[in-house]
Amino acid sequence: MSTPLFEIDKLSLQYHTNGGAFHALRDVSLTARRGEVIGIVGESGSGKSTLVSAMIGLLSANAYITNGSVKINDTDLLTLSERKRRRFRGHDIAVIFQDPMTAFNPVLPLGAQLIDFQFHRRGVSKRDKRQHAIDTLTHVGIAAADKIMAKYVHELSGGMRQRAAIAAALVMTPDVLIADEPTTALDVTMEAQIIHLLRQLSHDHDGTIIVVTHHLGVIGELCDRVYVMYAGQVVEEGPVDAIYHTPGHPYTTALIDCDLVHLDETPRTLPTIPGRVPDLAPPPAGCAFANRCEKAQTRCFASAPPRVQIAKEHAAWCFRVPGHEVAQ
Amino acid sequence: MLNYTIKRIALAFLILIVVMLGMFGMVFLVPGDPASVALGPRASPELKALLIERMGLDQPLLTQIIKFFRNAATGDLGIDVWSKRPVLDVIMEVFPNTLLLGLVSIGWALIAGIGLGCVAVVYRGTYLDRVLGVLSVSMIAVPSFVIALYSLLIFSVWLGWLPAIGSGEAGDFWSQLRAIILPAFAIGITWVGYLSRLVRASMLELIDAEHIRTARAYGLPERVVVLRYALRVAIIPTIAIIAVGLGGILSSAIFVESVFSRPGIGTLMTSAVQKRNYPVVMGTVLFMTAFYLLVVTLADILIARLDPRVRDVLRG
């Protein structure tokens, strides 16, 4: 197998807070090959946003990476100097940000920003950069793109903004495209359109797309493989179909059960997972999900569960994967 | 943009006209007619009638208003009752003093305010930040004439370091500098408080702003991020408050110039009020209003130039 285009290996990260070290990421590993669409799913507080920040090397001042690597084409971004890392950002790895209303600068025209984002294309004239920006906007489905270039972000509609945000990430044709909650800020019809656009992109885009979301439906629509995150750890990984139909981890099962699309009848109350995400300062000794898990045993609280291979490319970190029970 | 500029200037003129009408009305509301006041209680009725005719007070109200506006438009603000010189000349003679005081005050307030604001941002959440916060609010809360009186008492009367009155010897830079320190201190200190609070708030807002993160995430160099993406947003509230400040300084100047007996628009106005010198009172009020409107309008246009969201509000 060729080396993956993008690879995160055993990444651990702590936030230093007044309450001690907060273990936001623990041994997170992830690979993405060229042409793949990867999904990262988890509820708020699962470490998704921290993972995105770590991928692009923009962490807050109190964050410390204690272990691991983030590699693009075998270059470890974490060992690079800030100057060199900056050259990767935008050019090799780019993020479609969550809320395009606040993600664009409010006092600069959209076009000026799209031209600025092509900073790393040396020796290209401003006219060509401008034309490229217009082409990219057209590519993401914005009509009359040359008029939009002169607009400010507050003058655009929600869907237009989201498309512009996607265009902003695409102007440098990055190898790794990260979509951070791409549909959270949108209503349902817009969501369908943007998912359609992203799916189209995944066909023409010669790289990898990583979709980060709390919404399983989005993952099902777009992704080839999924990583399920809980309390700063990957608890299950595998192809989308396998995750949906034969989930190995109780947390994945609970997530799917909460997704209304899978319910035959609309319930009177929305299904939820009882309990809450554990405090990660310090993290629990055993499985992080144990306090909310119906199947939890004494050993789940005492020691960390092992990685259990369920099928090719499908694994879960649990003692009690159905059909693969770890002996006591 | 042009549209906005024209609208903003038109608005300024409208405000000016309303102020002038108000002033004109005030003269009629004041008990006693101007002629009796000007001539004193022992003037003969013939003399009064003569003056009323010369001042045009016997003409219809509308004619008087039109005449007042026409004169004001040509810079004729009337004649100083005491010195018999044109009011505009009297104002222009002392105005540079007030303007200099204003600029020096706002200048040091800017440097100190932005400096303290940045310190508060760097040490945010610590004791130093909290102490600076309390200090800034105290600076805002204490009126400038109180500061003026106490600084006068301490530095001039007790310590004898700085002159208590006047604006220094004409042509002598050091003497003028020594004379401006205390008044500029008294006026500027309020604005140090305002600016440091404002700079702290707008910088903190930007540190966590998503769009700054975006610019960094797309690999823009720090120089471009700070100078093009951050500063353009952060500078806007500061410009707004400086404009209001420069206008507002003229009113603090009234107190502070009186305390330090410094020649300027403020002392001119207070002495004119005491002597019932109506043309000068009206002239200074009109002049200060016009100056204030000029500064605020210029700042508004500059802000609209920098912030498209402001432009859209007036466009409707």
Side-chain angles (χ1 to χ4, degrees):
Chain A
M1 202 164 66
S2 60
T3 51
L5 176 62
F6 185 61
E7 183 177 21
I8 296 176
D9 189 40
K10 295 211 169 61
L11 185 69
S12 294
L13 183 149
Q14 299 178 358
Y15 287 115
H16 288 189
T17 65
N18 290 336
F22 184 93
H23 297 248
L25 295 177
R26 284 180 291 154
D27 279 340
V28 173
S29 295
L30 177 154
T31 55
R33 293 181 288 266
R34 211 169 265 282
E36 259 188 333
V37 181
I38 300 293
I40 298 174
V41 69
E43 61 193 304
S44 352
S46 62
K48 287 174 303 179
S49 314
T50 303
L51 186 60
V52 171
S53 301
M55 286 184 205
I56 54 174
L58 279 185
L59 289 160
S60 53
N62 64 338
Y64 295 87
I65 290 174
T66 50
N67 187 36
S69 61
V70 178
K71 286 181 183 165
I72 295 178
N73 282 323
D74 255 355
T75 311
D76 187 356
L77 294 184
L78 301 181
T79 57
L80 291 179
S81 68
E82 175 55 32
R83 254 180 76 97
K84 284 189 176 150
R85 188 158 46 197
R86 212 185 65 220
R87 230 167 278 162
F88 275 84
R89 289 208 288 265
H91 188 274
D92 297 271
I93 182 166
V95 186
I96 301 168
F97 282 105
Q98 226 181 95
D99 181 2
M101 182 67 198
T102 53
F104 282 110
N105 191 292
V107 302
L108 290 173
L110 183 64
Q113 297 184 57
L114 292 181
I115 291 168
D116 281 349
F117 295 161
Q118 299 173 53
F119 179 79
H120 293 295
R121 300 173 84 209
R122 308 253 171 213
V124 177
S125 75
K126 200 168 171 183
R127 257 190 71 193
D128 290 346
K129 285 183 181 175
R130 195 186 134 75
Q131 189 54 47
H132 180 65
I134 293 174
D135 292 344
T136 314
L137 284 174
T138 314
H139 183 65
V140 297
I142 290 181
D146 51 335
K147 285 206 185 70
I148 298 296
M149 293 281 282
K151 297 259 190 214
Y152 295 90
V153 61
H154 71 278
E155 298 172 329
L156 303 177
S157 68
M160 201 83 105
R161 260 181 230 140
Q162 189 65 51
R163 283 172 196 274
I166 295 173
L170 284 176
V171 281
M172 291 300 287
T173 52
D175 276 341
V176 182
L177 184 64
I178 303 166
D180 187 7
E181 301 277 8
T183 61
T184 308
L186 301 174
D187 60 52
V188 185
T189 29
M190 277 323 303
E191 180 173 337
Q193 286 183 33
I194 293 299
I195 286 180
H196 181 71
L197 173 64
L198 285 173
R199 201 189 294 150
Q200 245 181 333
L201 282 179
S202 67
H203 292 310
D204 339 321
H205 185 247
D206 176 42
T208 183
I209 299 182
I210 298 174
V211 181
V212 182
T213 180
H214 64 272
H215 189 0
L216 263 180
V218 175
I219 299 276
E221 296 271 358
L222 284 170
C223 302
D224 304 316
R225 284 193 303 120
V226 192
Y227 290 83
V228 181
M229 283 191 73
Y230 183 79
Q233 290 172 309
V234 173
V235 294
E236 182 161 7
E237 61 171 87
V240 168
D241 283 346
I243 296 276
Y244 266 93
H245 296 117
T246 52
H249 199 282
Y251 177 63
T252 316
T253 316
L255 263 189
I256 293 169
D257 287 345
C258 288
D259 196 3
L260 288 180
V261 182
H262 294 267
L263 300 173
D264 298 328
E265 266 177 65
T266 310
R268 284 185 62 82
T269 52
L270 290 172
T272 51
I273 307 176
R276 40 190 296 210
V277 182
D279 186 11
L280 297 177
C287 173
F289 189 59
N291 63 334
R292 302 167 78 179
C293 183
E294 289 171 358
K295 296 160 73 180
Q297 300 168 321
T298 334
R299 60 172 169 173
C300 297
F301 291 95
S303 54
R307 183 180 199 269
V308 175
Q309 196 78 36
I310 300 165
K312 186 175 177 283
E313 295 203 317
H314 185 190
W317 280 256
C318 181
F319 289 110
R320 309 199 59 197
V321 176
H324 295 81
E325 193 103 1
V326 177
Q328 295 254 14
Chain B
M1 191 61 217
L2 186 70
N3 206 349
Y4 175 86
T5 311
I6 292 167
K7 274 189 186 171
R8 198 62 197 75
I9 291 172
L11 189 63
F13 270 105
L14 196 70
I15 296 171
L16 196 60
I17 288 169
V18 171
V19 170
M20 284 169 79
L21 282 176
M23 276 170 42
F24 195 83
M26 251 160 25
V27 176
F28 283 87
L29 289 176
V30 172
D33 66 303
S36 324
V37 176
L39 292 171
R42 279 181 293 175
S44 66
E46 294 78 31
L47 210 56
K48 269 192 212 170
L50 193 70
L51 188 66
I52 283 175
E53 198 196 322
R54 222 174 53 206
M55 290 168 86
L57 293 173
D58 53 346
Q59 280 160 24
L61 196 60
L62 195 68
T63 322
Q64 287 187 46
I65 291 178
I66 290 169
K67 194 170 169 231
F68 174 59
F69 272 89
R70 200 168 49 212
N71 287 347
T74 54
D76 178 5
L77 298 177
I79 304 292
D80 182 340
V81 177
W82 294 87
S83 69
K84 308 292 179 212
R85 295 169 54 211
V87 170
L88 192 66
D89 289 3
V90 177
I91 291 175
M92 289 317 283
E93 195 178 282
V94 293
F95 180 63
N97 262 324
T98 305
L99 187 65
L100 181 73
L101 179 60
L103 289 177
V104 171
S105 308
I106 215 71
W108 90 264
L110 261 180
I111 295 167
I114 291 177
L116 286 182
C118 291
V119 170
V121 169
V122 172
Y123 295 99
R124 62 183 175 280
T126 64
Y127 262 102
L128 184 62
D129 182 21
R130 258 170 265 170
V131 169
L132 284 178
V134 172
L135 221 66
S136 304
V137 175
S138 330
M139 288 178 193
I140 299 169
V142 180
S144 52
F145 66 90
V146 174
I147 306 264
L149 280 172
Y150 277 95
S151 58
L152 183 77
L153 195 62
I154 295 168
F155 294 104
S156 302
V157 179
W158 291 350
L159 297 171
W161 289 350
L162 294 163
I165 56 167
S167 64
E169 298 290 321
D172 182 348
F173 176 77
W174 291 111
S175 147
Q176 286 183 339
L177 182 74
R178 275 161 52 84
I180 210 168
I181 290 177
L182 285 182
F185 172 74
I187 296 176
I189 195 147
T190 308
W191 295 95
V192 174
Y194 275 129
L195 285 166
S196 74
R197 289 277 88 190
L198 191 75
V199 166
R200 180 184 181 276
S202 41
M203 297 251 289
L204 279 185
E205 198 180 305
L206 271 177
I207 277 181
D208 298 321
E210 283 289 321
H211 60 89
I212 296 302
R213 189 179 132 99
T214 309
R216 291 212 175 102
Y218 291 148
L220 295 190
E222 205 56 24
R223 170 177 46 87
V224 178
V225 173
V226 171
L227 295 182
R228 189 166 151 84
Y229 281 75
L231 198 61
R232 273 189 79 137
V233 180
I235 201 84
I236 291 166
T238 312
I239 293 176
I241 202 112
I242 291 171
V244 176
L246 203 57
I249 268 171
L250 293 179
S251 50
S252 5
I254 294 176
F255 299 113
V256 172
E257 284 176 352
S258 312
V259 172
F260 290 99
S261 317
R262 231 185 112 79
I265 279 249
T267 27
L268 182 66
M269 196 176 186
T270 30
S271 72
V273 169
Q274 280 160 2
K275 293 180 198 159
R276 304 282 187 278
N277 194 343
Y278 285 116
V280 176
V281 174
M282 283 177 66
T284 44
V285 170
L286 190 61
F287 186 83
M288 281 169 65
T289 310
F291 179 78
Y292 183 81
L293 283 172
L294 178 76
V295 173
V296 172
T297 306
L298 281 180
D300 273 358
I301 291 170
L302 185 62
I303 288 168
R305 180 91 199 77
L306 292 171
D307 191 341
R309 291 167 296 185
V310 174
R311 245 176 280 162
D312 285 1
V313 171
L314 218 80
R315 198 184 288 156

mmCIF file of all heavy atoms in Angstrom, chain B residues 92-106:
data_model
loop_
_atom_site.group_PDB
_atom_site.id
_atom_site.type_symbol
_atom_site.label_atom_id
_atom_site.label_comp_id
_atom_site.label_asym_id
_atom_site.label_seq_id
_atom_site.Cartn_x
_atom_site.Cartn_y
_atom_site.Cartn_z
ATOM 1 N N MET B 92 -10.472 83.841 16.330
ATOM 2 C CA MET B 92 -9.327 83.257 15.638
ATOM 3 C C MET B 92 -8.015 83.565 16.349
ATOM 4 O O MET B 92 -7.042 82.835 16.230
ATOM 5 C CB MET B 92 -9.258 83.748 14.181
ATOM 6 C CG MET B 92 -10.347 83.177 13.285
ATOM 7 S SD MET B 92 -10.652 81.414 13.542
ATOM 8 C CE MET B 92 -9.263 80.725 12.685
ATOM 9 N N GLU B 93 -8.018 84.680 17.102
ATOM 10 C CA GLU B 93 -6.819 85.046 17.830
ATOM 11 C C GLU B 93 -6.502 84.032 18.935
ATOM 12 O O GLU B 93 -5.344 83.685 19.155
ATOM 13 C CB GLU B 93 -7.054 86.434 18.442
ATOM 14 C CG GLU B 93 -5.809 87.124 18.923
ATOM 15 C CD GLU B 93 -6.186 88.490 19.445
ATOM 16 O OE1 GLU B 93 -6.407 89.396 18.613
ATOM 17 O OE2 GLU B 93 -6.289 88.647 20.685
ATOM 18 N N VAL B 94 -7.559 83.537 19.602
ATOM 19 C CA VAL B 94 -7.311 82.635 20.732
ATOM 20 C C VAL B 94 -7.485 81.162 20.363
ATOM 21 O O VAL B 94 -7.040 80.277 21.081
ATOM 22 C CB VAL B 94 -8.232 82.954 21.931
ATOM 23 C CG1 VAL B 94 -7.882 84.307 22.501
ATOM 24 C CG2 VAL B 94 -9.693 82.861 21.539
ATOM 25 N N PHE B 95 -8.141 80.891 19.233
ATOM 26 C CA PHE B 95 -8.446 79.505 18.901
ATOM 27 C C PHE B 95 -7.208 78.621 18.775
ATOM 28 O O PHE B 95 -7.218 77.483 19.270
ATOM 29 C CB PHE B 95 -9.305 79.432 17.635
ATOM 30 C CG PHE B 95 -9.646 78.029 17.247
ATOM 31 C CD1 PHE B 95 -10.413 77.234 18.091
ATOM 32 C CD2 PHE B 95 -9.184 77.479 16.062
ATOM 33 C CE1 PHE B 95 -10.716 75.930 17.760
ATOM 34 C CE2 PHE B 95 -9.478 76.165 15.723
ATOM 35 C CZ PHE B 95 -10.251 75.393 16.572
ATOM 36 N N PRO B 96 -6.117 79.090 18.134
ATOM 37 C CA PRO B 96 -4.933 78.219 18.026
ATOM 38 C C PRO B 96 -4.473 77.705 19.383
ATOM 39 O O PRO B 96 -4.044 76.561 19.506
ATOM 40 C CB PRO B 96 -3.878 79.124 17.393
ATOM 41 C CG PRO B 96 -4.648 80.115 16.629
ATOM 42 C CD PRO B 96 -5.904 80.358 17.416
ATOM 43 N N ASN B 97 -4.589 78.536 20.415
ATOM 44 C CA ASN B 97 -4.233 78.119 21.773
ATOM 45 C C ASN B 97 -5.042 76.912 22.217
ATOM 46 O O ASN B 97 -4.509 75.950 22.750
ATOM 47 C CB ASN B 97 -4.519 79.262 22.749
ATOM 48 C CG ASN B 97 -3.263 80.049 23.049
ATOM 49 O OD1 ASN B 97 -2.189 79.467 23.119
ATOM 50 N ND2 ASN B 97 -3.411 81.347 23.199
ATOM 51 N N THR B 98 -6.378 76.992 21.987
ATOM 52 C CA THR B 98 -7.261 75.899 22.402
ATOM 53 C C THR B 98 -6.993 74.657 21.567
ATOM 54 O O THR B 98 -6.959 73.541 22.080
ATOM 55 C CB THR B 98 -8.729 76.336 22.251
ATOM 56 O OG1 THR B 98 -8.907 77.528 22.989
ATOM 57 C CG2 THR B 98 -9.676 75.272 22.769
ATOM 58 N N LEU B 99 -6.798 74.864 20.256
ATOM 59 C CA LEU B 99 -6.544 73.737 19.371
ATOM 60 C C LEU B 99 -5.256 73.027 19.778
ATOM 61 O O LEU B 99 -5.201 71.794 19.857
ATOM 62 C CB LEU B 99 -6.449 74.219 17.923
ATOM 63 C CG LEU B 99 -6.358 73.107 16.877
ATOM 64 C CD1 LEU B 99 -7.641 72.292 16.853
ATOM 65 C CD2 LEU B 99 -6.089 73.690 15.493
ATOM 66 N N LEU B 100 -4.226 73.822 20.073
ATOM 67 C CA LEU B 100 -2.948 73.242 20.500
ATOM 68 C C LEU B 100 -3.144 72.434 21.781
ATOM 69 O O LEU B 100 -2.697 71.291 21.884
ATOM 70 C CB LEU B 100 -1.918 74.352 20.736
ATOM 71 C CG LEU B 100 -0.536 73.859 21.158
ATOM 72 C CD1 LEU B 100 0.172 73.238 19.969
ATOM 73 C CD2 LEU B 100 0.300 74.986 21.747
ATOM 74 N N LEU B 101 -3.881 73.028 22.729
ATOM 75 C CA LEU B 101 -4.157 72.331 23.985
ATOM 76 C C LEU B 101 -4.884 71.018 23.714
ATOM 77 O O LEU B 101 -4.548 69.971 24.265
ATOM 78 C CB LEU B 101 -4.998 73.234 24.895
ATOM 79 C CG LEU B 101 -5.391 72.658 26.251
ATOM 80 C CD1 LEU B 101 -4.171 72.326 27.071
ATOM 81 C CD2 LEU B 101 -6.287 73.636 27.009
ATOM 82 N N GLY B 102 -5.869 71.094 22.810
ATOM 83 C CA GLY B 102 -6.646 69.901 22.472
ATOM 84 C C GLY B 102 -5.773 68.824 21.857
ATOM 85 O O GLY B 102 -5.844 67.653 22.238
ATOM 86 N N LEU B 103 -4.928 69.221 20.894
ATOM 87 C CA LEU B 103 -4.101 68.237 20.199
ATOM 88 C C LEU B 103 -3.079 67.613 21.148
ATOM 89 O O LEU B 103 -2.868 66.399 21.125
ATOM 90 C CB LEU B 103 -3.393 68.893 19.013
ATOM 91 C CG LEU B 103 -4.302 69.259 17.837
ATOM 92 C CD1 LEU B 103 -3.518 69.974 16.744
ATOM 93 C CD2 LEU B 103 -4.985 68.019 17.274
ATOM 94 N N VAL B 104 -2.466 68.453 21.989
ATOM 95 C CA VAL B 104 -1.482 67.904 22.937
ATOM 96 C C VAL B 104 -2.173 66.944 23.902
ATOM 97 O O VAL B 104 -1.666 65.854 24.197
ATOM 98 C CB VAL B 104 -0.772 69.045 23.700
ATOM 99 C CG1 VAL B 104 0.080 68.488 24.837
ATOM 100 C CG2 VAL B 104 0.088 69.855 22.750
ATOM 101 N N SER B 105 -3.388 67.337 24.371
ATOM 102 C CA SER B 105 -4.111 66.482 25.325
ATOM 103 C C SER B 105 -4.441 65.139 24.696
ATOM 104 O O SER B 105 -4.181 64.083 25.263
ATOM 105 C CB SER B 105 -5.414 67.157 25.767
ATOM 106 O OG SER B 105 -5.162 68.455 26.224
ATOM 107 N N ILE B 106 -5.049 65.188 23.494
ATOM 108 C CA ILE B 106 -5.466 63.936 22.860
ATOM 109 C C ILE B 106 -4.230 63.131 22.459
ATOM 110 O O ILE B 106 -4.230 61.904 22.492
ATOM 111 C CB ILE B 106 -6.399 64.226 21.650
ATOM 112 C CG1 ILE B 106 -7.473 63.192 21.495
ATOM 113 C CG2 ILE B 106 -5.685 64.136 20.328
ATOM 114 C CD1 ILE B 106 -8.557 63.023 22.319
#
